[in-house]
Amino acid sequence: MVGFTGIDFAVLAIYLLAVLLAGLFFSKKEMKGKEFFKGDGTIPWWVTSVSIFATLLSPISFLSLAGNSYGGTWILWFAQLGMFIAIPLTIRYFLPLYARLDLDTAYQYLEIRYKSKGLRVLGALMFIIYQIGRMSIIMYLPSVVLADLTGISVNVLIIVMGVIAIIYSYTGGLKSVLWTDFIQGVVLIVGVTGTLFFLISNINGGFGEVMSTLTDGKKFLANNEVMFNPNIFSTSAFIIFVGAGLNTFSSYISSQDIVQRFTTTTDVKQLKKMTYGNGILSMGLATVFYLIGTCLFVFYTQNPELAQTVKQDQIFASYIAYQLPVGITGILLAAIYAASQSTLSTGLNSVATSWTLDIQTLISKDMSFEKQTKIAQYISLGVGIVAIGVSMILANGEIKSAYEWFNSFMGLVLGVLAGIFVLGAFSKKATKLGAYVGFIVSAILVVFLKYNVPDVTSWAYSLITITTSVVVGQIVSLIQIKVSNVKEKVTEEATVHYEA
């Protein structure tokens, strides 16, 4: 239609103001210590479930999922089915374990299991470095897209996004972040689902034409894509399913931004509801995004004169800006912004929590809850400013490959980390030395594969890193026990073998 209008701008501005006020409302009670990091025990499981969903769904996914199916393939849709691997493993083995230990952070588990502060610090540092880079890129890429569509300066969009997230992350701790994530997740779900119905209503032949294109038109898998490849390290729907499942599993058990949600309660029933809810939301909305992509293909095939861009990952945002009614455009662009902001606020809070509880407590002994909270607030403020700065450098430096490079390299972090979590949980004989060696060997192996064996798909990395960490770590542990003839005393509550 006419693109981004003054009414849409007003809608976007009102939305951002509402998010800020909501964040401040939920932070009106002064929180200190564990309440700042874990909430006050009043947060319902369904709020936390939507928050996990909003955290895992980055704005890059928002734009690229529809872009992939528009471009002619649903093969990455099988990544969403990986939830059938991640959820059962997490619920069966790790949620009871984490609830039993009443963890403050993900990396506290490493200290408890291996009796090693060094492993706890190592895990925290890797997560913090990864998260700061991720936040910067997640602010940068959607802001560039929105700047092109709205005419608003990319620097202004980045600063506004960052400042709003910093304010309610700084003042209200995890409770404020969870509730604002919930609001933004609901806006995203309603907006995207509504767009799908609007799209279908504007297609000649309706949903039947979309399904015909998807099946008869061979838009489900491209000609060179297969369901299963005997060489499991080559790209196929199967390895995407397995690899994505293990990636999500790694996030559930070793990424502080997700594990922090699990620390809000020790009630295993609530944790299970939380995890199942997130799985249903993730798979459901991903399917909606892929249907939207196919609908966009049909719509622009029927109406080629309406196409405003040929860029695959911008086609959905272009449709939102130029084809949706005035006002609705503002709401949907706000949903894209929401996907960024929820990931950003979560990142700020999780980094501040991990630094304060995993690292600062070693530097400053016997800190009061007030001091812990103040340090976390300063960290969230400082990290937010750094992320804004790095994001603006990326935006003005036109580093278009930054996201692809960062995700392909730093995305390996959680798989390598998850390996030593799995080793510790399943092996009573795993030692600190075994964990270190397993970690190092799996990290070296996967970096070698990335730069020297391009035929191994990145979807196989998590399978390789977790397996390597567990096998190498167990072998080294057994050799150490045999050579030293000393059996380390294990905190059995920190393994899956514990029986109350």
Side-chain angles (χ1 to χ4, degrees):
M1 301 204 180
V2 294
F4 192 76
T5 67
I7 293 176
D8 295 312
F9 179 81
V11 169
L12 179 60
I14 290 170
Y15 168 80
L16 293 175
L17 179 61
V19 168
L20 177 59
L21 292 176
L24 292 175
F25 172 79
F26 289 111
S27 66
K28 63 183 181 181
K29 175 187 173 183
E30 187 179 5
M31 295 196 176
K32 290 185 175 66
K34 289 197 174 184
E35 284 192 354
F36 186 87
F37 303 118
K38 300 172 69 171
D40 59 1
T42 65
I43 304 164
W45 67 265
W46 40 269
V47 170
T48 310
S49 186
V50 174
S51 175
I52 295 174
F53 159 76
T55 297
L56 290 174
L57 181 75
S58 75
I60 315 308
S61 303
F62 191 117
L63 299 172
S64 65
L65 294 183
N68 286 333
S69 57
Y70 171 82
T73 177
W74 273 53
I75 192 168
L76 293 184
W77 176 75
F78 288 93
Q80 315 310 315
L81 300 185
M83 287 289 184
F84 287 112
I85 295 175
I87 290 175
L89 287 175
T90 304
I91 286 177
R92 172 67 179 84
Y93 297 110
F94 282 88
L95 291 188
L97 179 62
Y98 288 172
R100 183 164 64 239
L101 297 175
D102 193 16
L103 299 176
D104 292 329
T105 73
Y107 314 109
Q108 183 185 8
Y109 171 76
L110 298 177
E111 180 180 358
I112 294 172
R113 171 59 186 84
Y114 295 107
K115 297 180 174 58
S116 170
K117 293 186 183 296
L119 279 173
R120 180 174 184 175
V121 171
L122 175 65
L125 285 175
M126 291 196 69
F127 168 76
I128 289 169
I129 293 169
Y130 166 74
Q131 194 63 245
I132 290 174
R134 181 171 184 255
M135 285 189 291
S136 300
I137 291 168
I138 278 173
M139 292 170 69
Y140 145 65
L141 285 178
S143 293
V144 169
V145 173
L146 289 177
D148 289 342
L149 294 175
T150 64
I152 301 172
S153 165
V154 65
N155 290 338
V156 170
L157 288 169
I158 290 171
I159 291 171
V160 169
M161 182 192 303
V163 167
I164 291 175
I166 287 171
I167 289 173
Y168 63 76
S169 298
Y170 180 95
T171 55
L174 185 62
K175 182 178 180 179
S176 181
V177 168
L178 290 176
W179 275 103
T180 48
D181 277 1
F182 173 77
I183 293 168
Q184 304 202 85
V186 170
V187 169
L188 194 154
I189 293 165
V190 172
V192 170
T193 305
T195 301
L196 174 62
F197 286 108
F198 183 84
L199 243 175
I200 292 172
S201 69
N202 283 277
I203 289 174
N204 295 329
F207 190 65
E209 180 64 23
V210 175
M211 295 308 295
S212 175
T213 301
L214 191 58
T215 53
D216 300 338
K218 295 183 179 179
K219 299 295 289 182
F220 189 68
L221 292 179
N223 291 332
N224 63 334
E225 295 172 340
V226 296
M227 293 295 292
F228 179 79
N229 191 323
N231 177 5
I232 65 167
F233 296 129
S234 294
T235 301
S236 67
F238 172 76
I239 194 60
I240 289 174
F241 161 67
V242 173
L246 292 177
N247 282 340
T248 304
F249 171 65
S250 298
S251 293
Y252 279 167
I253 68 170
S254 66
S255 184
Q256 171 61 17
D257 51 348
I258 306 302
V259 175
Q260 191 172 8
R261 272 98 182 114
F262 295 148
T263 67
T264 59
T265 179
T266 57
D267 185 332
V268 176
K269 288 184 179 179
Q270 297 295 309
L271 290 171
K272 287 181 178 180
K273 289 180 183 178
M274 194 186 298
T275 310
Y276 281 129
N278 171 58
I280 292 169
L281 282 175
S282 297
M283 288 188 287
L285 205 71
T287 302
V288 170
F289 277 122
Y290 277 97
L291 282 171
I292 284 174
T294 303
C295 288
L296 289 170
F297 175 82
V298 176
F299 176 80
Y300 284 119
T301 299
Q302 295 178 351
N303 305 278
E305 72 282 358
L306 296 180
Q308 298 289 329
T309 181
V310 294
K311 294 181 179 179
Q312 181 173 299
D313 284 352
Q314 292 191 17
I315 194 70
F316 186 26
S318 177
Y319 178 85
I320 291 170
Y322 294 102
Q323 303 305 325
L324 290 181
V326 172
I328 303 299
T329 292
I331 294 174
L332 264 295
L333 291 180
I336 296 178
Y337 214 59
S340 298
Q341 206 163 45
S342 59
T343 306
L344 175 61
S345 60
T346 294
L348 291 175
N349 188 269
S350 61
V351 166
T353 299
S354 188
W355 176 272
T356 304
L357 300 183
D358 291 320
I359 298 173
Q360 190 66 40
T361 50
L362 298 179
I363 300 171
S364 307
K365 303 292 185 181
D366 301 321
M367 287 191 296
S368 64
F369 283 154
E370 288 80 2
K371 186 173 182 181
Q372 286 181 1
T373 305
K374 190 57 66 178
I375 289 173
Q377 289 177 321
Y378 289 150
I379 292 294
S380 64
L381 175 61
V383 167
I385 293 171
V386 169
I388 289 172
V390 173
S391 187
M392 290 172 65
I393 291 171
L394 291 174
N396 292 283
E398 299 295 320
I399 306 175
K400 298 299 183 186
S401 63
Y403 177 75
E404 182 180 351
W405 176 88
F406 183 79
N407 252 21
S408 65
F409 182 71
M410 291 306 292
L412 311 177
V413 168
L414 295 183
V416 175
L417 269 179
I420 57 176
F421 278 78
V422 173
L423 172 67
F426 285 90
S427 172
K428 289 183 179 181
K429 296 185 177 180
T431 65
K432 175 174 65 175
L433 177 63
Y436 272 118
V437 176
F439 179 92
I440 293 168
V441 171
S442 63
I444 292 173
L445 175 60
V446 79
V447 170
F448 173 81
L449 291 175
K450 171 179 168 55
Y451 290 106
N452 297 280
V453 191
D455 291 340
V456 175
T457 175
S458 60
W459 291 103
Y461 287 169
S462 56
L463 175 62
I464 292 169
T465 53
I466 292 174
T467 303
T468 302
S469 287
V470 171
V471 172
V472 172
Q474 180 72 350
I475 291 172
V476 171
S477 297
L478 292 175
I479 292 174
Q480 181 188 6
I481 293 170
K482 186 73 173 176
V483 171
S484 66
N485 202 27
V486 176
K487 187 176 181 181
E488 295 187 10
K489 186 177 180 182
V490 175
T491 304
E492 195 161 321
E493 292 90 337
T495 74
V496 299
H497 305 291
Y498 174 76
E499 294 183 6

